[in-house]
Amino acid sequence: LSSGIMLMCFGFSTLIFGSLAGSLIADPGFGWRKTYVLLGAVMAIVVFVFGLIVKRPSSPVAAPSNTNAASSASDKTAGQMLKTLTFWKLFIALTLLASIGNVAISFAKDFAVFTGSADETAITIVGILSVCNGLARICAGAIYDRFSLPKTQWFITVCMVIAPVFGIMAVITQAQFVGIIALLLCGFSYGLCPTTSAVYSKLFFGEKN
């Protein structure tokens, strides 16, 4: 859950700093150079301050009890990992999930306009998509903490399948409401991915490498 909260902030930063940076870059008196310097300075301060707070655990942290047999996985090298069927299953699943999210984000405004939304509404929808992306990261963490890993995977997979189905329906019907639902589902399903991808690596292939 804590990983989900952190990644939610990562997703929300696009909504907040993206708009701010866009406004500063468009300002003739500020421009892109000063914008990059400002963002770099803010990031440097944040990294320095919170770097003083974050500490390495003094002893190994036990894996959650709901990880089942995966918690006993031995540390594998990169070569050993590539030889497992589990790696390639995860690779394909996460690649497809990331593809859905990247396509949705890249074409969200155009897709919303295509399905009947006005430009101003389309921009708002893109913002809400980012919010759904962020909330999904907390949701994935909470589900994993509360239930088993297989149930978490099933939830992610179902969302991953439903999202593009609504996208296809929106293209066929060009219905504004269906298009909005499709975009929000795509953003949500994409947001489920980052919180759990690191967990999979740790549980199935160990922490060392």
Side-chain angles (χ1 to χ4, degrees):
L1 178 60
S2 61
S3 296
I5 293 173
M6 179 190 72
L7 289 165
M8 179 198 69
C9 294
F10 174 76
F12 271 78
S13 68
T14 305
L15 180 63
I16 299 171
F17 285 99
S19 300
L20 175 62
S23 299
L24 293 175
I25 291 172
D27 186 345
F30 210 83
W32 70 268
R33 292 180 185 274
K34 290 182 180 179
T35 301
Y36 270 67
V37 170
L38 176 62
L39 292 176
V42 171
M43 291 178 190
I45 293 171
V46 169
V47 170
F48 176 77
V49 172
F50 287 95
L52 300 174
I53 299 173
V54 177
K55 304 292 182 183
R56 181 183 293 274
S58 57
S59 59
V61 179
S65 59
N66 66 358
T67 57
N68 302 325
S71 61
S72 62
S74 58
D75 289 312
K76 290 180 172 59
T77 64
Q80 291 172 329
M81 180 183 69
L82 289 171
K83 293 178 182 178
T84 65
L85 181 60
T86 299
F87 168 79
W88 292 106
K89 287 179 179 179
L90 286 171
F91 178 81
I92 292 171
L94 295 175
T95 298
L96 291 172
L97 186 56
S99 299
I100 293 171
N102 284 321
V103 168
I105 292 171
S106 300
F107 298 99
K109 181 177 180 293
D110 295 328
F111 187 86
V113 171
F114 174 78
T115 54
S117 296
D119 281 351
E120 296 78 8
T121 305
I123 293 172
T124 302
I125 293 171
V126 173
I128 298 175
L129 184 152
S130 297
V131 172
C132 289
N133 187 317
L135 293 177
R137 297 165 193 241
I138 291 184
C139 184
I143 291 173
Y144 175 78
D145 287 341
R146 178 69 177 82
F147 301 101
S148 64
L149 179 61
K151 288 181 179 179
T152 306
Q153 290 175 309
W154 271 109
F155 179 77
I156 294 173
T157 302
V158 169
C159 291
M160 171 181 165
V161 171
I162 292 176
V165 168
F166 269 87
I168 294 171
M169 290 171 56
V171 171
I172 294 174
T173 63
Q174 293 191 23
Q176 180 183 12
F177 182 70
V178 179
I180 293 173
I181 293 176
L183 286 173
L184 299 187
L185 283 175
C186 285
F188 185 82
S189 64
Y190 184 39
L192 294 171
C193 178
T195 305
T196 51
S197 57
V199 172
Y200 297 149
S201 299
K202 173 183 176 181
L203 295 182
F204 292 119
F205 313 117
E207 293 185 77
K208 183 177 179 180
N209 300 307

